[in-house]
Amino acid sequence: MFKKSIATLFCLSIGLLLAGPLSNVTLKAQQDSKLPGGFLPLLPENTSFFSINYNLKEACDTLINSKAWAKLKDLNVTKMIKAKMDEALEGAKTSDENFEKKQAVAMKVLNALAKLASHELVLAGGQNTADSISTLMNAANAGRMAPLTDLLQGKFNTDPKEKSQAQIRAMIEALGEDADKLQVPEILVAFGLKGSKVGEEVMAFLEKNMDKVGKGPLKASAKKEKIQGSDFITLTIKGSNLPLDNLDIPDLDEELEKKLKAQLKKLTLVAAIGIHKDYLIFSTGPNTKFLASLGKGKSVTTLKELQVLGKHAGKKITDISYVSKKFISSFQSSNADLEDISEDLFEQLKAANLPKELTTRLEKDMKNLFKDFEKYIPKPGALVGIGFNTKDGCESLLYSYASNTYLDASKPLGLLENLGGSPILAAVMRGKVDESAVSLGIKWAKVAYGYFKDFGLPNIPGDDKEKVEAFLKKAEPIFSSLAKTTETLLNPAMKDGQIGLVLDGKITSKQWSPMMPKSKKELPMLELGLFLGLADSEKFTKAIGEYREGINKLLKAGADLDPSGMVGGFKIPAPATKEIAGAKSYYFPIPDLGVVDNRLQPGAVVGKDFSAVTLSFEHAERLLKKNPLGSAAAKLAGINKNASGFLLYDNTELLKFLSAWIGFGLDQMPAGLDEALGIRSQVKTVLDVLGTCKGIASITYEEDGITVSRTVNIWKDLE
């Protein structure tokens, strides 16, 4: 269990840092509300997940019949690629006398797949899917974490082959530990036929070739049987027919290997394909129970989580998706995972032959550590998604029923007005601020330090021990002072909880470096800004200053630990300052070497409500000025509502940026090349086609206690 626990603990740590059914009357009312019917009501209540796409053919036809697609087809480069493909096909025909026959078969298969996916495409997982997939994921995580696990156990594998073998062993061991949970997942794929004969053609072909299946090495058996009154062809493969006895797994515990092989032999895979209620359905699983449950008992549409779909009745829905709470819980760390980790680590401690005093103390502290962090673990909930077309493009909403998350949607995101108005890319979020978290971190830092002093320091040899003790005597009051700074200054200053980033390109020059040719037009430079919302800018500024002083004191105190003298001689200097739009920017001047434009000067500006790290004073000045987002996608998404997160990508702004630099590159072409190949016009066409996407905006907020993420995509065909 140790390797599995290390993998779970790793995933949990990352998570901590980043920080009843309705009645049949309700179901009938929902089905009468213009929501998609089709396959959705057939799915049983215990479905683990599903994804349904509608009218894929219509979406493809819209693309193929667009003016943008016509422009792309007319490009010289497109014609050239088509000519090369035709040439390759002609060559294949010459070298293979059966090529045309093979090509006809391939085209028939592709056409069949296109027809099958045209109207309604369904992917769903049955009740056992969560357990079966999580078992495989645990094994994969154990494999990824194997090098770290070996390192913690004192094994240092440097040979790539040994590392690979260690990962394989870890995966197999994890599977062996969960051998009783191994099972074939229930997966179902359905294609809406809408009167198409392609389903019947597929079934006729399979029935004709059914007798050939059993002749393979897996000794599979195929037969035709009735399921829910419809004809299905089923294929059964038993694990007992697999050549597992000849499988040699080096350095694997014999009992574990025996257990794993025994469980694999018990497995049975049953695949079925048939036509039922005007759908061609393919399913896999340990049996056909999931397939046989379609349309029987309570439907997935009776689940309370799916009732939000009723809000979108009458819209032109393109897709619906759902993931159950149980399915998500199988991947997300929980309090139960903490208990498993603690139990496994305790077993490892007992087996490590450590001093009894240390083992007892570790066990007690680890229990308290896990107990302290329990309250920070989010509680999983189901996910429901829906997408639909709009007059401006398309829109989607994702409803999350998770609770105890880190998101705070109690008020608007104020930083949205400090993104410069029209950035290329921007993201802002607000998390819940728990002041006790800092105190908790300081508490456990002190506990860890106590272990070093009591068990690590006594083992340091002679003179080195004296130097370390001398350093610690000087460092302890400094660390205490920094902890106080964190609690009394930094923590209160960051109560706002907002963080964000922005990517823009408004600062321009005709020659950013003497080493590049001078441009005829202004060339923009990418501007990256990183934000931190502030509740008290004065406390924040004071805290940063005290951190700088504290670090410098630590460097001076540690001078005797470094024989080279580099540590003692290093000191973080006080930054230079510059007044910008009523705020102050702090920076370390870059020497003017004449390599790049000296306007590119990284610095940190501290305004009233936020601090931002920027690459130029010009960008900092723009960010300090309140300027609402002008993007059409941002306005449609709703930037003024209470929200916990916002993401914007403005494709129009990106293309403006790229066009300037592409034009500069084209200006460097040899004379006459453009006239001969028409490169500029071809590039313009490509940029025009890319410009049909105007932008994407996504906002996360709360609605009736549910976390909702709304994403708006704006598309417009060429004139």
Side-chain angles (χ1 to χ4, degrees):
M1 290 288 288
F2 184 62
K3 287 182 169 65
K4 177 182 172 183
S5 297
I6 289 295
T8 307
L9 181 60
F10 175 77
C11 296
L12 177 63
S13 300
I14 295 298
L16 289 172
L17 288 173
L18 290 175
L22 300 181
S23 66
N24 289 332
V25 175
T26 305
L27 173 58
K28 185 179 185 306
Q30 186 194 41
Q31 291 173 344
D32 291 342
S33 67
K34 297 183 182 180
L35 279 175
F39 204 85
L40 181 60
L42 296 178
L43 290 169
E45 183 184 34
N46 59 11
T47 300
S48 289
F49 68 86
F50 69 76
S51 174
I52 305 178
N53 288 276
Y54 303 95
N55 300 318
L56 290 176
K57 182 178 185 301
E58 183 179 329
C60 291
D61 288 345
T62 300
L63 172 63
I64 292 172
N65 296 325
S66 67
K67 294 176 182 177
W69 184 259
K71 283 272 191 181
L72 276 179
K73 288 197 300 182
D74 197 44
L75 285 173
N76 289 341
V77 65
T78 307
K79 293 176 180 177
M80 188 185 305
I81 292 172
K82 185 178 182 303
K84 289 291 183 182
M85 292 177 64
D86 291 340
E87 185 181 327
L89 289 174
E90 287 298 325
K93 288 179 183 178
T94 305
S95 60
D96 186 352
E97 58 183 17
N98 295 319
F99 178 78
E100 290 188 3
K101 187 176 180 180
K102 294 176 182 177
Q103 185 183 28
V105 171
M107 290 304 298
K108 191 173 182 179
V109 171
L110 289 174
N111 287 331
L113 289 172
K115 288 179 181 178
L116 286 173
S118 292
H119 305 294
E120 189 174 348
L121 177 61
V122 182
L123 173 66
Q127 186 176 17
N128 84 339
T129 313
D131 291 336
S132 56
I133 293 181
S134 66
T135 301
L136 297 175
M137 289 291 293
N138 284 336
N141 286 336
R144 283 195 293 268
M145 296 303 297
L148 177 59
T149 304
D150 285 348
L151 188 63
L152 291 174
Q153 295 177 340
K155 301 175 185 176
F156 302 94
N157 290 330
T158 56
D159 182 62
K161 185 177 180 180
E162 289 182 3
K163 284 184 179 180
S164 177
Q165 289 177 343
Q167 289 179 312
I168 294 172
R169 279 197 303 274
M171 292 174 66
I172 295 173
E173 285 174 7
L175 287 174
E177 290 171 356
D178 291 337
D180 55 329
K181 296 181 182 178
L182 278 175
Q183 52 189 317
V184 178
E186 296 171 324
I187 303 293
L188 179 147
V189 181
F191 304 91
L193 298 177
K194 274 200 172 182
S196 170
K197 298 294 183 183
V198 67
E200 295 176 7
E201 293 172 2
V202 170
M203 292 304 299
F205 173 80
L206 292 174
E207 189 171 348
K208 182 180 178 181
N209 294 277
M210 193 169 62
D211 60 328
K212 299 177 182 178
V213 174
K215 298 177 181 179
L218 297 179
K219 300 178 183 179
S221 61
K223 64 179 180 178
K224 190 175 179 181
E225 59 180 294
K226 291 279 187 182
I227 300 176
Q228 290 216 48
S230 300
D231 289 330
F232 278 83
I233 295 174
T234 60
L235 176 72
T236 303
I237 300 175
K238 294 184 177 181
S240 56
N241 292 331
L242 299 175
L244 297 173
D245 293 331
N246 299 326
L247 182 63
D248 182 31
I249 308 172
D251 300 327
L252 186 65
D253 181 79
E254 289 185 9
E255 286 299 317
L256 197 61
E257 183 176 356
K258 185 178 178 181
K259 180 182 176 183
L260 178 59
K261 288 181 178 179
Q263 187 62 29
L264 289 173
K265 287 182 178 181
K266 293 179 183 178
L267 294 180
T268 298
L269 184 151
V270 179
I273 186 168
I275 297 175
H276 181 63
K277 293 186 181 294
D278 208 24
Y279 287 89
L280 179 66
I281 303 174
F282 171 76
S283 73
T284 63
N287 46 53
T288 58
K289 286 183 180 179
F290 183 46
L291 181 61
S293 69
L294 295 178
K296 290 188 175 182
K298 286 188 176 181
S299 165
V300 71
T301 55
T302 64
L303 295 173
K304 64 179 181 180
E305 292 92 346
L306 265 70
Q307 302 316 304
V308 293
L309 298 178
K311 298 179 179 182
H312 308 287
K315 294 179 180 177
K316 197 169 184 179
I317 296 174
T318 57
D319 59 271
I320 291 177
S321 60
Y322 163 77
V323 185
S324 70
K325 177 181 177 179
K326 180 182 178 183
F327 191 87
I328 292 174
S329 298
S330 64
F331 300 100
Q332 184 172 317
S333 298
S334 64
N335 291 343
D337 291 319
L338 284 177
E339 293 175 4
D340 289 341
I341 293 169
S342 62
E343 289 177 6
D344 291 337
L345 289 176
F346 295 156
E347 291 177 8
Q348 294 295 319
L349 286 174
K350 292 175 183 177
N353 294 321
L354 296 173
K356 186 177 180 181
E357 179 190 357
L358 176 58
T359 303
T360 303
R361 182 167 159 183
L362 279 169
E363 188 170 346
K364 179 183 176 182
D365 284 338
M366 284 166 59
K367 285 181 179 178
N368 291 331
L369 173 65
F370 290 133
K371 186 177 180 180
D372 281 347
F373 279 109
E374 278 182 357
K375 67 176 183 178
Y376 296 106
I377 300 176
K379 295 179 181 178
L383 290 173
V384 177
I386 184 169
F388 43 87
N389 290 328
T390 66
K391 64 181 180 64
D392 299 298
C394 56
E395 185 175 326
S396 65
L397 292 106
L398 181 66
Y399 296 87
S400 171
Y401 290 82
S403 59
N404 195 39
T405 64
Y406 308 110
L407 302 176
D408 179 5
S410 62
K411 50 191 172 183
L413 295 166
L415 287 182
L416 295 182
E417 294 190 343
N418 295 96
L419 299 176
S422 56
I424 296 171
L425 178 72
V428 177
M429 70 163 286
R430 175 184 277 114
K432 294 175 182 175
V433 178
D434 184 353
E435 294 187 43
S436 66
V438 174
S439 300
L440 201 60
I442 293 172
K443 167 189 170 181
W444 286 104
K446 290 179 178 178
V447 171
Y449 179 60
Y451 277 96
F452 170 73
K453 286 193 70 174
D454 296 342
F455 301 101
L457 187 60
N459 293 315
I460 297 176
D463 294 340
D464 290 338
K465 180 181 177 182
E466 291 181 6
K467 290 180 181 179
V468 172
E469 287 176 335
F471 167 73
L472 293 177
K473 188 175 181 180
K474 299 175 184 176
E476 284 177 357
I478 300 173
F479 281 123
S480 296
S481 176
L482 291 176
K484 185 178 179 181
T485 297
T486 303
E487 288 187 291
T488 61
L489 294 178
L490 188 66
N491 208 24
M494 294 173 60
K495 278 185 180 179
D496 177 72
Q498 289 185 93
I499 59 172
L501 66 84
V502 61
L503 187 67
D504 213 332
K506 300 293 190 301
I507 184 173
T508 63
S509 172
K510 290 185 177 181
Q511 191 176 30
W512 282 103
S513 170
M515 294 181 285
M516 64 180 284
K518 192 170 184 178
S519 173
K520 298 176 183 176
K521 298 179 179 179
E522 294 287 334
L523 298 173
M525 178 58 66
L526 281 178
E527 303 169 290
L528 176 65
L530 301 176
F531 282 94
L532 185 64
L534 297 178
D536 191 320
S537 59
E538 290 184 5
K539 285 186 177 180
F540 178 78
T541 303
K542 187 176 180 181
I544 299 302
E546 290 189 6
Y547 281 132
R548 183 182 68 83
E549 291 177 5
I551 293 172
N552 283 337
K553 289 178 181 178
L554 285 173
L555 291 171
K556 184 178 180 181
D560 292 340
L561 297 176
D562 176 28
S564 69
M566 292 181 63
V567 172
F570 183 77
K571 184 178 180 180
I572 302 174
T577 60
K578 180 181 176 71
E579 291 291 329
I580 300 176
K584 188 173 285 187
S585 180
Y586 300 84
Y587 65 100
F588 296 103
I590 298 176
D592 186 2
L593 302 176
V595 178
V596 294
D597 193 305
N598 58 16
R599 288 184 298 162
L600 298 179
Q601 170 61 63
V605 64
V606 180
K608 179 183 177 183
D609 303 318
F610 70 91
S611 175
V613 175
T614 63
L615 300 181
S616 71
F617 296 132
E618 291 181 39
H619 192 202
E621 187 172 1
R622 267 185 280 122
L623 297 180
L624 286 165
K625 296 177 181 177
K626 297 287 185 182
N627 192 1
L629 289 171
S631 163
K635 292 177 181 178
L636 283 175
I639 55 178
N640 296 320
K641 64 168 58 180
N642 292 352
S644 58
F646 185 87
L647 176 67
L648 171 68
Y649 164 64
D650 194 323
N651 192 54
T652 302
E653 290 296 322
L654 176 63
L655 292 179
K656 282 182 185 177
F657 178 88
L658 293 177
S659 295
W661 283 96
I662 290 172
F664 172 70
L666 293 175
D667 287 341
Q668 312 310 312
M669 288 191 304
L673 186 61
D674 182 43
E675 288 78 0
L677 301 177
I679 295 176
R680 286 183 185 273
S681 62
Q682 301 288 306
V683 170
K684 183 181 182 303
T685 298
V686 172
L687 292 175
D688 287 344
V689 171
L690 292 175
T692 56
C693 169
K694 303 303 179 183
I696 303 171
S698 180
I699 188 167
T700 301
Y701 54 93
E702 280 194 14
E703 185 176 281
D704 300 327
I706 306 168
T707 300
V708 185
S709 294
R710 180 189 182 197
T711 302
V712 175
N713 296 261
I714 296 184
W715 299 81
K716 187 177 180 181
D717 197 8
L718 298 177
E719 298 293 339

